[in-house]
Amino acid sequence: MTDLVDRLAFHSGELAAQRVAGTAELAARVHPIIADAIPRGAFDFLTRQQMLVLGARDEQDRPWATSLVGPEGFLTALDAHTLRADATVVPTDPLADVLRHETDVGTLAIDLVMRKRLRINGRWRPVEGGGEVDVHQAFGNCPKYIQARVMTEEPPEFHPVVHRGDALDTRQSLVVSNADTFFIATGVESGVDVSHRGGNPGFVQVVSPTELVWPDYVGNAMMMTAGNIGVNPLAGLLFPDWESGATLQLTGTAEVRWAARAQSGPGNGHETVFRVHEAVWTENAFPSSWTDPAYSRFN
């Protein structure tokens, strides 16, 4: 990342996506929410969280999304420009090696109970027991499409078992087709971003073992994920299996199919097509003690 890049400005891909989606005017109005520091009011919010979703690129520049989990207090804002996470990914995670060094990351602190989320993007540096993020961007997101669920026990000690492939198997396809939540990591020259996607079960369609499709829902108008994809189609997905404690991580390419006209309901007519290049299924990588979801009224 270069210091010559204005990290708070929309890049060319975001501006192009906003124009196509017809959200440019609204995006310009909400743009001031993007800051280069963690809002003071978010300090307490961070300390109450038990999960941080993280996106980064591996040694081959492929994006992956993963999660850090821990008890309340494992996340702290050391100051307005530094996020501390006292947790590490499992050793078999696709990002385990790169997170041992400085790297660009996108992070999302998401409160599934209160339906609140805070995105913090910046530069990761490893520290003993975890890592710290030098903040380049920080901004809140709306509560839309978040399914409320509660972790009923403290996160356990994980003993991962990993299966890798270049396509979804039957169990993985079922997890995707029944998913109500997943996360997507994308990246451009100026950095990495990770975002939440939610909907009623079935909103992600498994077209084949190597192709997924999901609708784009009306959001904050900034079109950050779509804008990144327009510049760099490489993307990574994370599907948690809330019941078993397994995770499905995918890396591949994404393409936004723009609709000719808007639609009624939460969908705006656009959709994203994702083509799988590698799938990593990890058992015992995620907490499994969650309540049944309460679906978002926005779905």
Side-chain angles (χ1 to χ4, degrees):
M1 182 178 294
T2 173
D3 291 336
L4 298 177
V5 174
D6 183 352
R7 302 185 182 106
L8 301 185
F10 291 131
H11 62 67
S12 61
E14 292 166 331
L15 293 172
Q18 293 163 12
R19 288 194 296 270
V20 175
T23 65
E25 184 177 345
L26 178 56
R29 291 204 301 267
V30 301
H31 178 265
I33 70 171
I34 305 174
D36 62 357
I38 301 171
R40 176 63 61 176
F43 282 29
D44 288 342
F45 167 81
L46 288 168
T47 63
R48 295 195 301 270
Q49 304 316 305
Q50 295 177 281
M51 178 173 65
L52 182 75
V53 183
L54 182 147
R57 291 174 284 214
D58 66 12
E59 295 90 341
Q60 302 174 53
D61 280 335
R62 303 178 303 174
W64 295 88
T66 188
S67 63
L68 299 173
V69 295
E72 290 188 12
F74 94 100
L75 290 180
T76 52
L78 300 183
D79 54 51
H81 298 281
T82 311
L83 172 68
R84 169 73 181 244
D86 288 312
T88 57
V89 298
V90 297
T92 55
D93 192 281
L95 293 177
D97 288 340
V98 295
L99 292 178
R100 296 188 181 101
H101 310 279
E102 286 195 15
T103 190
D104 290 334
V105 297
T107 73
L108 175 67
I110 184 165
D111 187 328
L112 297 173
V113 181
M114 302 301 296
R115 293 189 169 105
K116 294 182 178 180
R117 46 187 162 167
L118 176 68
R119 283 155 78 167
I120 299 175
N121 303 334
R123 188 75 176 172
W124 170 276
R125 60 175 179 272
V127 298
E128 184 176 355
E132 295 176 357
V133 179
D134 289 330
V135 178
H136 296 163
Q137 291 182 333
F139 54 99
N141 278 168
C142 70
K144 288 181 177 180
Y145 321 119
I146 297 177
Q147 324 320 328
R149 42 174 45 100
V150 179
M151 189 189 305
T152 59
E153 299 176 5
E154 290 292 317
E157 183 177 346
F158 300 118
H159 301 282
V161 179
V162 180
H163 307 273
R164 297 176 182 268
D166 56 8
L168 303 183
D169 63 23
T170 301
R171 182 180 182 185
Q172 295 163 6
S173 295
L174 286 172
V175 168
V176 172
S177 60
N178 291 323
D180 58 47
T181 300
F182 74 94
F183 304 93
I184 178 169
T186 55
V188 293
E189 181 183 0
S190 56
V192 179
D193 179 74
V194 68
S195 185
H196 161 275
R197 292 291 182 270
N200 288 332
F203 84 107
V204 184
Q205 179 185 0
V206 180
V207 178
S208 76
T210 58
E211 185 173 317
L212 313 178
V213 177
W214 62 85
D216 188 45
Y217 287 170
V218 177
N220 60 17
M222 293 191 286
M223 309 301 292
M224 289 180 161
T225 300
N228 285 352
I229 291 170
V231 174
N232 178 7
L234 297 179
L237 310 184
L238 170 66
F239 288 88
D241 186 347
W242 309 96
E243 294 183 3
S244 74
T247 58
L248 175 63
Q249 293 166 277
L250 305 175
T251 194
T253 57
E255 174 190 359
V256 179
R257 292 176 177 166
W258 300 103
R261 61 182 63 86
Q263 296 181 350
S264 60
N268 56 19
H270 316 312
E271 63 182 15
T272 300
V273 182
F274 181 85
R275 296 177 176 88
V276 178
H277 293 176
E278 185 175 355
V280 177
W281 174 267
T282 308
E283 300 177 16
N284 308 318
F286 192 75
S288 59
S289 53
W290 299 87
T291 60
D292 291 337
Y295 295 112
S296 170
R297 65 184 178 88
F298 294 99
N299 292 354

